[in-house]
Amino acid sequence: MLTGEGAPFEVADGVYVRGPRTLREFVEVVWGFGDRVFLVGEGESVTYREFFDAACGLGRRLAGEYGLRPGDRAVVAMRNLPEWQVAFWGAQLAGLVVVPLNAWWGEEEFAHALDDCGPGVLLVDGERVGRVRGWARAAGVPGIVFRGEAEPGFAAYEVDDDPLLGPPDVEVAPEDDATIFYTSGTTGRPKGAVATHLAQAGAAVHPRYFAAAAAVARGERPGGGAPVVS
């Protein structure tokens, strides 16, 4: 009913036929949700359009001012802030490989992962900039600090949300690397696990499929619930 030929979640060769092929393709559709609420946190809310415009602006800055190109790596190290989403998706819109790092890590743990992944930019919050400052200066890698002050090597994040400019003009292929997530390191040093755009785009659709399957199992119509707000 859900995955067969012509069904909403039709699968062929292990891939959703009607699903996105890249994370950039996945996130670009949020533009159509306009002023509906996307994120709520710390007494503020962010609409889909505000989020997407800000992510596009950051993507343009990474590709333009910082000269980063598809395949370059962008580290995201911050706690659970709305800006985390802007940082992650802004880098994706620039075609970068995003490397989210554990916000609980200390300076030594950050240094190990940074040495391993070789980023071209660090996207960090003001609480974590002190843990990566030494590495960034030694490696000559620039950074952008969210909810913090600018300092040598780290520019303060400024929202660029011009709705007319859109994301940077870059090509991203399904087989390109999209993310590197580090393991917990329970049996040794954390190791970077690489995932392609096609793998991550499929993973982004999985929750919709399982929600639809659960609805069918309950005898309900899939997609009939309230919209999801994070």
Side-chain angles (χ1 to χ4, degrees):
M1 181 184 298
L2 294 175
T3 61
E5 184 176 355
F9 296 93
E10 179 182 351
V11 173
D13 297 324
V15 176
Y16 291 111
V17 172
R18 294 172 180 79
R21 294 295 188 268
T22 67
L23 287 181
R24 178 175 165 123
E25 180 184 348
F26 171 79
V27 75
E28 282 180 332
V29 302
V30 307
W31 182 88
F33 290 89
D35 292 331
R36 290 173 60 181
V37 174
F38 169 54
L39 293 171
V40 176
E42 299 197 347
E44 61 181 299
S45 63
V46 179
T47 68
Y48 281 94
R49 187 57 188 264
E50 289 170 337
F51 152 72
F52 187 66
D53 288 344
C56 286
L58 178 60
R60 294 192 302 270
R61 185 176 182 184
L62 295 174
E65 178 182 342
Y66 288 84
L68 298 173
R69 296 292 177 263
D72 290 339
R73 292 160 181 186
V75 156
V76 178
M78 64 178 77
R79 64 183 177 89
N80 190 18
L81 297 168
E83 289 89 345
W84 194 101
Q85 295 286 342
V86 173
F88 180 93
W89 291 105
Q92 288 292 344
L93 288 167
L96 307 181
V97 181
V98 183
V99 189
L101 297 183
N102 190 332
W104 291 98
W105 278 355
E107 187 173 348
E108 182 180 350
E109 293 165 303
F110 275 122
H112 166 72
L114 293 168
D115 282 335
D116 184 65
C117 71
V121 68
L122 307 180
L123 307 175
V124 302
D125 62 21
E127 298 173 38
R128 260 139 289 273
V129 68
R131 305 180 203 176
V132 300
R133 180 186 294 120
W135 184 92
R137 290 179 178 174
V141 174
I144 298 175
V145 58
F146 296 72
R147 300 203 185 191
E149 300 295 327
E151 60 176 79
F154 285 84
Y157 171 66
E158 297 180 0
V159 178
D160 175 5
D161 56 359
D162 189 328
L164 301 179
L165 297 180
D169 184 15
V170 298
E171 293 291 333
V172 179
E175 62 271 16
D176 291 343
D177 293 340
T179 59
I180 301 175
F181 283 90
Y182 277 83
T183 63
S184 61
T186 52
T187 60
R189 288 280 198 175
K191 299 175 179 63
V194 182
T196 65
H197 277 272
L198 187 60
Q200 290 289 31
V205 176
H206 290 338
R208 291 177 53 210
Y209 163 72
F210 286 114
V216 170
R218 295 191 301 267
E220 300 173 0
R221 179 176 64 84
V228 175
V229 176
S230 300

